[in-house]
Amino acid sequence: SSSSGAAESGGSTPVQGGTITYAHVQEPSCIFGGWIQQAYISRQILDGLVTEDDNGAIKPWLATAWTVSPDGLSYTFTLKSGVKFTDGTPVDAAAIAWNFDLWENHSGNASAKVSMDPYYKSAKALDPTHVKITLNKPFPQFLRLITQGYYGIQSPTAFKSRTRQENCEKPIGSGAFKVKQWKRGEEVVLVKNPNYTSWPATAKHHGPAIVNEVDWKFVADGVSRYASLTTGQANVVYQVPTSNWTDAQQKYQPIRFITPGKPVSFNLNTKQGVFTDKLVRQAFAYGADRKAAVKAGFHGVIPYEGNPALDQATPDYNAQAAQAYPFDQAKANALLDRAGWRKGAAGIRTKNGKRLTVRLVYGSGYVLTKEGETVLQILQEQWKQTGFEVKLIPATQAEGFSGKYSSPSTYDATPEYWCNSSPAVLWIVWRPTTKAAPNYNNESFYNNDQLAKTIQQANTEQDTAKAGQLYQKAQQVVQDNAVSIGLYPQTSLYAVAKNLKNVWLEKSQGEPVFSDAYFTK
Amino acid sequence: MTAPTTLDDTGDDAAAPAPDAAPDLLTVENLRVWFGTTEVVKGISFTARPGRCLAIVGESGSGKSVTARTLVGLTGANSRMSAERIDLAGVDLTRQSDRSWRSIRGRDIGFVLQDALVSLDQLRRVGDEVAEPLRLHGWGNKRRRAERAVELLDAVGVPEPELRARQRPYELSGGLRQRALIASAIALDPKLVIADEPTTALDVTVQAQVLDLLAASKTRGTSIILISHDLSVVARLADEVAVMRRGEIVEFGTAHQVLHAPTHDYTQHLLDAIPSEHTRGTRLLRPPEGTTEGPRTRRPVDRDRPVVQARNVSKVFRGPDKINRTVVDDVSFDLYAGETLGIVGESGSGKTTTARITLALLEATSGDVLLHGQPWSDIPTAASRPLRKQIGIIYQDPLSSFDPRWPVGRILSDALATGSRPPSSKAEAQERAIRLLEQVGLSDKHLTTAPLRLSGGQRQRVAIARALAPEPGIIVCDEPVSALDVSVQAQVLDLLTELQDDLGVSYLFISHDLGVIHHVSDRILVMKSGKIIEQGDADDVFQQPQHPYTQRLLTALPQLAQA
Amino acid sequence: MVIAAASLTFLAQLLMPGDRATALMNVQTGQQKRWTAAELAPVNKEFGFDRPLPVQYLHYLGGLFRGDLGTSYTQHRPVTQVIGGQLAPTLILTLGALVTAWVLAVAITVLTVKRTRAVSALGSTWEALTASLPNYWVGVVLLVVFAVKLPLFPVIGGSNAWGTVLPLATLAIPLAGFLGQVTRDELEKVLDQPFVTTARTRGMSDTAVRLRHALRHAVLPAITLSGWALGALVSGAIITENIFARPGIGQVLVTAVNTRDVPTVSGIVLVVAVAYVVANLLVDVAYALVDPRLRGRS
Amino acid sequence: MTVSPLPTAGARLVRLDRLRIRPSTAVSLIVVLWVLLATIAPDLLTNRSPTAIDLGGTMQAPSWNHPFGTDQAGRDLFTRVIYGARQSMGIGLGATALAMVIAVLLGFTAGLAGGFLDAVITRVVEVTFAFPALLLALLVISVRGPSQATELIAVGIGSAPGYARMVRGQVLNVRQAAYIEAAAALGHNRWTVIRQHLFPNAMRPLVAVMTLGIGQSVVWASSLSFLGLGVPPPSSEWGALLDAGREYITTSWWLEILPGLVIIVVALAATSLGRTLQHKLEGAAS
Ligand SMILES: Nc1ncnc2c1ncn2[C@@H]1O[C@H](COP(=O)(O)OP(=O)(O)OP(=O)(O)O)[C@@H](O)[C@H]1O
Ligand SMILES: Nc1ncnc2c1ncn2[C@@H]1O[C@H](COP(=O)(O)OP(=O)(O)OP(=O)(O)O)[C@@H](O)[C@H]1O
Ligand SMILES: [Mg+2]
Ligand SMILES: [Mg+2]
């Protein structure tokens, strides 16, 4: 139930120009990169090859048309002609090919790379307006994947001739805005690109941006962020605190966006510790009222997601699988009894003198918000009643980044999400680890050949319906084995002032789009 | 005991104006002051006249300062005052608004506070401080005031007044500060100057200069109220004397009459307690009522048995400015069994340093000290430790020499344990501690008292008890009475002489008070700038001083006889 | 000492567990996973993490002496620039807070010390209360009251003057309480000093006595503590910048620590150490100005 | 002047009167005792569990039933504050004790050894003093990860240099005292003097400073929690409560304001007790 668009025009008079003040949460260290925080802002500056509309259909952007070879191995894109980067160089086939090469082979963007791996083979400019991408195997999800913000096209000339610092702070694209100034710690000032010609097919107007500037502010504190809107200092705010959502719905234009991909779900360590036993994993899933906890923690604003593999906004979502493991303590108790865990002192179960302890490591403040932490605390209390001793271990960003909690010996469960517009994200997350190619994204350390095969088949299956069935099956396997336990989808909550119209969200990851927005008098 | 017959009855009354020549400047009748509910001044009356000096004397805490402060309306917080009459040249001082008080203070009454050394703002220039009353009372302009301040400093005998005016109080010696304070008090030529203990903490020579200064302004017609507990100081300046005790004036009369023919017992008691050459070999305090005391026999000094021998001792200190200063310079002396060797000298002359070297608490730069003829000062600390019980010390400031956490009992048993006969049980330690306390005139109820809760005299006595505990044959007494008023001082001095007579203890007795030294010493060393400039039998040194410095010291010494 | 502080930080961070290249890759992708050696190799090479630690340290030290603090791992620009851009707002905030705290503390003590019982009690209670206030709580409450409920000040004021008022108050109020307590104790003592009584005996009014004589003595301990207060102010600034979304060193520091941006953290420590040294020099100067007794010494 | 002996009868009364407990001190004492009780036996002050959730009664404003209201999981805030005392005070006391131990070791070594060792230690202390305490804490936490122990260590290490300076100054000060020389003059050896006189007297004023420090440590620890670097949930350490309550300040004020007031009152009480103690000790020393 996503609604990406809140603009109902009419009523008051539109105004040309003006400055949109947008209050975002986190400040990235560079504007372009593989972190979703970077995608939000680079979407304003860089254009993609194709985009996705509200119905999930792939639409033209820099590419006006494309053909797929019958074997599904090559994609030939026709580019819009006359489009220029803001440094004046043309957006031609060579530039596109160079960008693909950058992502795949020169650490240009690890998130772009991991989405294409291992299907991508090469990119080649056929002539200035035609570029051909060749794959190793058929991969119909390819088009959907490259609609994401990570695939923003940059000017090769600028990238090669400028310093790393310049590329970091002011990437050169062909987008509706360009970076004027980055006041670190405060805001990025974006000014409109007056020569903008490459709006996507999903744009709500044709031509350069209507407003002159976007002040992209960073306001980490939720109270301040929402207050900046209520006091009129900001026109749009990101991540409205859920406790203010009702208020925001009454006073502003609310936009709730459920980001497709893997929802926030607990990856259970199947390699070491208590969760090597499937019965215990299932008991864990039954043992707490996740639905009620999510409702309480997020004040009913964010939906519960029972499917741990994909969330409801992702194509080929398995709604059936989402129904598994309803709250049922009796069942949880029975499963634990069967697994040999007996209730001991203070209600905590033990087996062979070992306590049923779950080390639940979570990224505090960057994976889970305060609201998410509340959900954990509620769950912890409920799990206790079935005999689980859940230890909540918050990891700081520094610890998270340093990879401290990435080996099987460091945790039993960890909530994690992965924003991705395609069900192909299943491959990123569940690809088995092999000696030659470890998959560190597989945080359950779960190697299941049947699951791997199913996802691989789905990825290469050219028949959409068949592929859909395979993806659904894969989700079912994940759910049946209870290697991950669903919680809630990554959700963005925006509130837009009433006098600002036509702010809409990009479909693949929910980045706000300001090029069509205008103020009314 | 009667007043010393040697007190000179002639005086120099003739020099002072006739008592009734001038009308009263200040009249105080039935003044009472309370702090909270305690009455500290209990209905006193007195008068002060132009060109004359009224002295208020009395022991510490008798209400002198409170009376003085009341006269300028600054009695203090939580205080209450009542008087039938306080009249200053026709102005009723009992009812003054804050504003009118401000115009009286500094202009009509100059006030020299008791704590002279800290009565000038350390952070401001001396000239500004002296000129402050001028500024406050709108006298002249800034430049004139600065000039006037220099003139005033010059008038009170401050050398190089221009320089001094630009310096700050901490750069001046105590005597100069005292004079600057007086300069400030007389800046506007007030009719009345109140000087509260203007000479305590000053060397005798400087003290004489300050008294001369006040005498000079008296001759100019100023009325002076001088407050002091030192009767010999009073004798030099006062025309009338009021003796205060516990908030009351017990005796009032001309200086000559009060000091030479006191009518009140208390005044007599005070006069007796003053140590001097005349009191040698006698008790300063009358024995308690009912006990009769036979003549005391002094134990002879054993000249063959030197207990301490200092040989060519020198000490060099390296100052923070990296300059070496010789603080003790080639000092040699012998102390014999049963003898009291007095050391006098001005502040900083190296007395304490000499004492600490004698005790081997400080290593001499050169020279050494023998104890009972054995090496002492230059042996390792481990070797000297067992010998320590033979030599004790009474510190100048007893309070700081006690661990503030320890009650008297613990202090004493600790000292007993270090002696040659350590007590074998707790009970014995307790018993012996009580005996020590009784010896110094205290009792077992002081065992559990913290030193802080003792009075000055009691502390001094505990210090003595501690020094006695290990039963040493030698005690170094460093200014043991400098902080005490006469009556307590007398008590302590009596105890020390008694112990010497009874036990044959030897004393190295340091003091800058010549009267005290003369009272206790058999022989005297005079120190100046680290050197011994004169030594000899006490009477010889006092009667025929050889060194000019000693002579200066002795002439500066105020005498009761001057009244 | 300054170099020692920076070196110590640098070394401490090098020796910290966790791989810097991994951290960098994760920062760039918003992940918290491990990476293969092949993926890490280019990063290691680019930043020289593959060189032995002593070599890295010597390289850093060499840079320090040339005035080069190195390049930020995450922002890809010189640390001098990273810090330079953020220094001014923090300096304005901390120094402004120090001055404000002083003015408040002095005014309140002079007005309330040794007055009537009620007034004195009011003054000392105010000081005790404000001295116990945690910065963050003051910040949050001020923000909600004066920016959200009564929109007098901007919520996200950035570094402009009007937006600085609330952050300044957040830092200054607790500090004023602290300085006030110290000054009050001292002023109480000083007002009992004989030289104060002497000034009164010359006919000086109470207010003049306080301002001309007593105050100068009473501020001495607070001056000494101001040097120390700087450290507390920097700590407070980190919190305050966080609450008011204000640019500044504090924010950069938290981010740099989180992302293991070693040169930036060391650089900030260096700057703070320099500030500390300078502040203490200034304190000494101020002390000597107020108390000439110290001038002759040392 | 002599002190007149106390009358034996009623001596007790006089003593009590001597203590001269001012009302503010009495209130502070009560607060501190209350917190100590909460630390030792929280179940005496409340019969609820601090983690018991009630999804039907979330975000309730203060009432008779819930004096401090309830939070987003329906937990009783009053109970959480009481149970949080143990962690908060644990950190406050622990950090102060740790800081003291470090400070005493460094300060005494520096003060007694003098010379080169003194110079080195003083430098090190100066260098660490230049670190803002929060930065030290950040570094410690980034290495060790947030936990009660880490927070304790961070706050402890952060405040140690200040104490170390004080201890050293105190040692140098006491070393000069006449009673130290007096003890030597009696023939005691060095260690006896250090043990009997130097150590206890150098430490004496630190008692008051420690009391002050405990209040400050509680505030410090809560600052770290406020930055999300504190004790992991579901702990109800006071700083953590504030951290959780912050986003509700405009919607459910009590979640932020009430725990904040508790911290302030406790810090205030500790500070005021510390200062009373300080004045008493100072007064006794002069
Ligand atoms: N501010 C005050 N509050 C309470 N009691 C006070 C105060 N000032 C003085 N007193 C008491 O008043 C009495 C008289 O004190 P005062 O200072 O006048 O003595 P004094 O005769 O000047 O003694 P000294 O020779 O020691 O200066 C003493 O008992 C003293 O304790
Ligand atoms: N530890 C020390 N270091 C440096 N200088 C010192 C030291 N102890 C004493 N002095 C200096 O030695 C000189 C003599 O001091 P000493 O204490 O022996 O004098 P004093 O005759 O006892 O004086 P007073 O009568 O004031 O007690 C003084 O100038 C003093 O400053
Ligand atoms: Mg007096
Ligand atoms: Mg001396």
Side-chain angles (χ1 to χ4, degrees), chain B residues 272-285:
Chain B
D272 291 348
I274 303 168
S276 67
E277 60 178 305
H278 313 293
T279 55
R280 286 191 61 179
T282 62
R283 281 190 63 110
L284 290 166
L285 295 183

Side-chain angles (χ1 to χ4, degrees), chain B residues 35-36 38 40-41 58-69 75-79 114 196-197 227-229 244 485, chain D residues 1:
Chain B
F35 281 104
T38 23
V40 294
V41 175
E59 66 183 348
S60 187
S62 55
K64 305 183 294 290
S65 298
V66 169
T67 305
R69 289 205 307 269
T75 319
N78 302 325
S79 66
Q114 177 161 12
D196 192 352
E197 304 277 11
I227 291 170
S228 180
H229 62 257
M244 275 190 86
D485 71 54
Chain D
M1 197 179 10

Side-chain angles (χ1 to χ4, degrees), chain A residues 164 184 398 401 440-441, chain C residues 26 33-34 46 86 155 258:
Chain A
R164 250 198 108 145
R184 295 262 183 185
F401 285 158
Y440 295 129
N441 298 319
Chain C
N26 280 328
K33 60 171 197 172
R34 278 188 290 171
E46 186 189 343
Q86 308 290 320
V155 181
N258 274 337

Side-chain angles (χ1 to χ4, degrees), chain C residues 142-199:
Chain C
L142 286 180
L143 182 79
V144 168
V145 176
F146 295 107
V148 180
K149 298 285 174 201
L150 306 169
L152 296 175
F153 298 96
V155 181
I156 43 170
S159 44
N160 66 34
W162 201 230
T164 306
V165 173
L166 290 183
L168 205 75
T170 303
L171 278 183
I173 290 174
L175 185 60
F178 176 72
L179 292 178
Q181 278 184 322
V182 180
T183 311
R184 167 176 305 270
D185 284 358
E186 204 58 24
L187 193 58
E188 272 172 2
K189 274 187 215 151
V190 171
L191 283 175
D192 281 338
Q193 293 285 308
F195 75 86
V196 167
T197 315
T198 301

